[in-house]
Amino acid sequence: MTDTTLNHDINHDAHHDEHPRLLKNPLKWAARWVFTTNHKDIGTLYLWLALIMFFVGGAMAMIIRAELFQPGARIVDPELFNQMTTLHGLIMVFGVVMPAMTGLANWQIPMMIGAPDMALPRLNNWSFWILPFAFAILISTLFMSGPAPDFGWTFYAPLSTVYGPPSTDFMVVSIHLLGLSSILGAINIIATIINLRAPGMTWMRMPMFVWTWLITAFLLLAVMPVLAGCVTMVLADRHFGTSFFNPAGGGDPILFQHLFWFFGHPEVYILILPAFGVVSEVIPTFSRKRLFGYHFMVYATVAIAAVSFIVWAHHMFTTGMPIAGELFFMYLTMLVAVPTGVKVFNWVTTMFRGSITFETPMLFALGFLVMFTIGGFSGVMLSLAPADYQYQDTYFVVAHFHYVLVPGSIFGIMAAVYYWLPKWTGHMYNETLGKLHFWLSAIFLNVTFFPMHFLGLAGMPRRIPDYALQFADFNQIASIGAFIFGLSQIIFLVVIVRCILKGKPAGDKPWDGAEGLEWDLPSPPPYHTWMTPPSPALIIDREAEAG
Amino acid sequence: MKVLKTISKLLLSIAVMLISASAWASEIKDARYNMPSGVTSVSREVYGLHMAAFWICVAIGVVVFGVMFYSLIMHRRSRHPEPAKFHQHVWLEITWAVIPLIILIVIAIPATMVLFKMDDTRNSDIVIKVTGYQWKWRYEYLNQGISFFSNLSTPMSQRMNLEPKGPHYLQEVDNPLVVPVGEKIRFLVTANDVIHSWWVPDFGIKQDAIPGFIHEAWAVVDKPGVYRGQCAELCGAGHGFMPIVVVAVSKEDFAKWVTKMTQGKVNAATMLPNKAWTKSELMQKGRQIYKENCAACHQTEGNGLKPLYPALAQDHVVLGPAADEIKLVLTGRPGTPMQDFSNFTDEEIASVVTYTRSSFGNNAHDIVQPADVAQIRKSLGLPEHT
């Protein structure tokens, strides 16, 4: 396989693959990572950052669940509890899912579309290296004399403006940096996909992962500036005497929520669409059958993205919106179920009459499919405005968004890592450990999050550090589930490190059912790939019958 | 096999933990695991909608997961080594887009009707204004002239696990909202500082309380009883500690309650204005008022919560002239969480000021009399309130 596809230019560049070693030459080693403009290096940096932040944000979740293990004040005071919920949310959204998805995009998009690198390599370096500084600023708030941000990741005014602790300003700066990084990354992805596709890689031949990321990048470009405006207005209200969100000066606290959710709702699709792309790669591979309804999968993704801009106020049904507004946002929100349903039905039909095996990436993709659908069901229930009056701001909502984010986005990322790790490293991961990781994660995330549906319905509000006694049993179950789920993630780290250090050689195409240009490259791929475009014959013609 | 063994061991240990947890939980009698159907027509319709949506989701789930697990079992490689080649079908795509659309329209119709019903606040019999504060609720019966604060009454010792927790731990208050059954109550919901949310699950009401804006909700309660809820919008460190308790009583009992509440006020106004209070009377009353109205921010021991809520212990205003402290309490401090307490009576303010000046290690040794407060109130141009 290798010899047919590996072209001479790559062999020529082989000396690039001799990288400085950390122990032999630490300065050169650091310089390589700091100044790199290589999409594979930058992808690796993004993925490691996401993994580190996953454990940081996860540790905060453990503190939250430990406090809620039993009723009564236990290990943290209510103030610190609020700081933990705030930072857990911000870190998981901005520090884990978004960088991990961008890391996957960096590694995969050039290899999948037959491009030599990202279109804007220096910008790529910059958009990554903003992130460690942004998170250093965000996490530094924990060590300041006042409290860290303590108003939830949604930082509603006036709790974050008039009543926000001084550290709020650091959070504002951090969010600005994160937004900048995301916008630069999105520009780069759009430029790459539009300009650097290999000859023959037409729009309707692009892998689903590339399609979902292209659409995600447009969403990022559209909504991150809105968030930037929103946090700037928070800063102005706090320090420059403005009253955007302060009724005493003619402002409106609800304006904040409109701005935030105009960003926030497309943001949830930013977090999930690339995972849709991953699953659309993994399920066909392990079903040994083409993705069913490729065209409709693309249209459905575009439809979801388009509708995501006009449903934001479903987060605000209880704020006293006029009934016309409530009906508008209710109907449109319900409509999201149609394209999302189309996607789920297509994945299921892809497996139907396939020839299925259950390697770790497939297990994570199946976990995604089952549990994301459960999160979708509770999403439909939440869209019903009258019922939402009872669900809003309860643990039912916590259960819902953790079902779409943990077995949704996070499982999507894990499926991707297990799927492409052999390609990236050239080594096979340990399948037994991978499966153990999957089963522990899948079982205990359900033990953690499923009881939260009951808690919410029975009347437990979210973001409370202590609760009435009738909520005690399910909280205890959820906490036990969370501890084991959290500990299981150490297996993930072990699998990755073992794979890098001493995995068995994986071969260029470890999955016999896989299709796509990345599998035509050696494993690990050379530092520079597709310096000359792949032969158009290698590109899958999705119109033709699968062969 | 090794993996299976490990998993089964883990499952066993979890089961043991869960059994011990549930043995502890069995002490709780009133555990509910679903949305309550409640005691208003709206809450019952919302419950019906919730259950309908739930069963529709279950039905769709059975079909989708049924096909999925059928494929996973029947079309695994060991059973089905040769995969089929089909990969598109336009009519199938259109069908599975249209069927969910029809199902959604079917649920949207009742949802729309319930929403219109919830929105109709006309023809109410009683109007109650609900104001959220950090971290308590204030209820004002606009036509009856009754107004009071409602604070969490669970003692700190229970929260700190020093005493066994009561049956209504964190869901009990000193002054519950009292409403009559069978009458249409219109709630006007607002907030004084940050956004709160007034939620009584049994009424099907959750209305965000937003500073500067008033929103409406309504209920006709069918059944006398005690209904409990909580603040549903994160409002700071005390968010989990501002419950809502509504006592629904018969119309006759409600009328009696209104009489009692309004008469007590008349008595206070006619009997007390010129009485000189002793320090111990003021301290005792002040301690109570402080606990109910000030301690949420300034803390029981007067230590405050930095940086927003200053300590009163060794505070320069509290240690300064009494007149300054009275002025601050009457006017509040705009732009900070310190609200104005001018709605409190002269003797309430006198006693709480006296209390703060001689507690938490502060030793002003002075006594503030209601007459002093009345005088300052006058000098500030505020209406009398005895």
Side-chain angles (χ1 to χ4, degrees), chain A residues 32-352:
Chain A
R32 175 225 170 167
W33 290 105
V34 171
F35 299 118
T36 182
T37 55
N38 179 287
H39 73 101
K40 299 184 183 77
D41 281 357
I42 293 170
T44 304
L45 287 170
Y46 268 113
L47 288 167
W48 275 114
L49 176 80
L51 191 61
I52 293 165
M53 298 310 281
F54 183 53
F55 287 104
V56 174
M60 290 171 177
M62 296 298 107
I63 294 173
I64 293 168
R65 285 315 321 170
E67 174 61 33
L68 293 174
F69 185 68
Q70 282 186 310
R74 297 292 167 181
I75 62 161
V76 291
D77 60 38
E79 178 57 54
L80 186 57
F81 182 88
N82 287 345
Q83 297 168 34
M84 289 295 110
T85 56
T86 305
L87 292 173
H88 166 73
L90 286 170
I91 287 175
M92 287 299 188
V93 168
F94 291 100
V96 179
V97 178
M98 291 172 77
M101 294 298 187
T102 315
L104 295 174
N106 258 293
W107 256 105
Q108 287 305 127
I109 288 175
M111 294 204 300
M112 292 171 103
I113 62 171
D117 203 310
M118 297 293 278
L120 308 161
R122 293 215 168 97
L123 195 73
N124 204 10
N125 172 289
W126 179 225
S127 43
F128 170 78
W129 278 108
I130 290 174
L131 291 181
F133 295 94
F135 288 111
I137 292 171
L138 186 62
I139 292 171
S140 73
T141 58
L142 276 174
F143 305 98
M144 292 176 184
S145 60
D150 54 3
F151 26 66
W153 85 279
T154 52
F155 56 101
Y156 277 9
L159 194 58
S160 63
T161 53
V162 178
Y163 296 81
S167 61
T168 308
D169 304 330
F170 287 80
M171 184 201 76
V172 167
V173 174
S174 172
I175 288 178
H176 267 305
L177 291 174
L178 295 169
L180 189 63
S181 160
S182 291
I183 291 168
L184 298 181
I187 290 172
N188 207 347
I189 286 167
I190 292 170
T192 306
I193 297 174
I194 291 180
N195 296 302
L196 297 190
R197 278 171 295 130
M201 180 59 80
T202 60
W203 290 111
M204 281 303 171
R205 287 182 182 178
M206 288 199 317
M208 269 315 290
F209 179 72
V210 179
W211 258 116
T212 54
W213 240 116
L214 179 66
I215 294 159
T216 304
F218 277 107
L219 287 180
L220 278 168
L221 218 47
V223 300
M224 294 312 287
V226 179
L227 178 67
C230 185
V231 293
T232 307
M233 287 156 92
V234 166
L235 195 69
D237 267 15
R238 286 170 59 80
H239 297 295
F240 310 143
T242 59
S243 298
F244 294 112
F245 310 132
N246 183 359
D252 182 353
I254 296 306
L255 172 65
F256 174 91
Q257 296 183 22
H258 281 293
L259 287 170
F260 183 85
W261 289 114
F262 190 85
F263 146 79
H265 200 77
E267 170 69 16
V268 305
Y269 294 99
I270 288 167
L271 300 176
I272 198 69
L273 290 185
F276 285 178
V278 169
V279 169
S280 304
E281 303 295 329
V282 172
I283 288 181
T285 294
F286 296 97
S287 305
R288 291 166 184 81
K289 189 160 158 276
R290 285 270 169 86
L291 180 67
F292 188 82
Y294 169 85
H295 286 74
F296 284 88
M297 291 297 249
V298 174
Y299 306 150
T301 314
V302 175
I304 291 171
V307 177
S308 78
F309 283 109
I310 42 176
V311 296
W312 76 89
H314 67 216
H315 297 269
M316 302 162 56
F317 281 144
T318 62
T319 55
M321 233 191 306
I323 190 160
E326 298 209 317
L327 289 173
F328 175 83
F329 287 107
M330 174 172 83
Y331 296 148
L332 283 166
T333 304
M334 294 174 82
L335 213 53
V336 176
V338 175
T340 314
V342 166
K343 298 206 77 119
V344 171
F345 300 142
N346 275 307
W347 286 320
V348 171
T349 313
T350 302
M351 296 190 291
F352 189 75

Side-chain angles (χ1 to χ4, degrees), chain A residues 73 163 288 293 318 331 334 346 349 353-356 389-393 458 463 466 469 473-474 476 484, chain B residues 14 21 28 32-33 50 75 77 80 84 87 93 104 112 159 161 169 193 199 201 206 208 232-233 308 337:
Chain A
Y163 296 81
R288 291 166 184 81
T318 62
Y331 296 148
M334 294 174 82
N346 275 307
T349 313
R353 294 187 52 211
S355 182
I356 305 168
Y389 275 85
Q390 294 283 41
Y391 306 138
Q392 169 77 22
D393 273 319
R463 293 165 165 171
D466 195 358
L469 299 183
D473 42 3
F474 279 138
Q476 200 157 51
I484 303 177
Chain B
I14 297 303
I28 302 143
R32 297 167 304 153
Y33 305 129
H50 157 71
H75 304 144
R77 187 164 60 178
H80 195 252
H87 61 97
E93 302 280 353
L104 289 172
T112 306
R159 283 168 60 185
N161 314 310
Y169 178 69
D193 34 47
W199 180 31
K206 183 183 283 136
D208 289 3
E233 181 66 62
L308 266 183

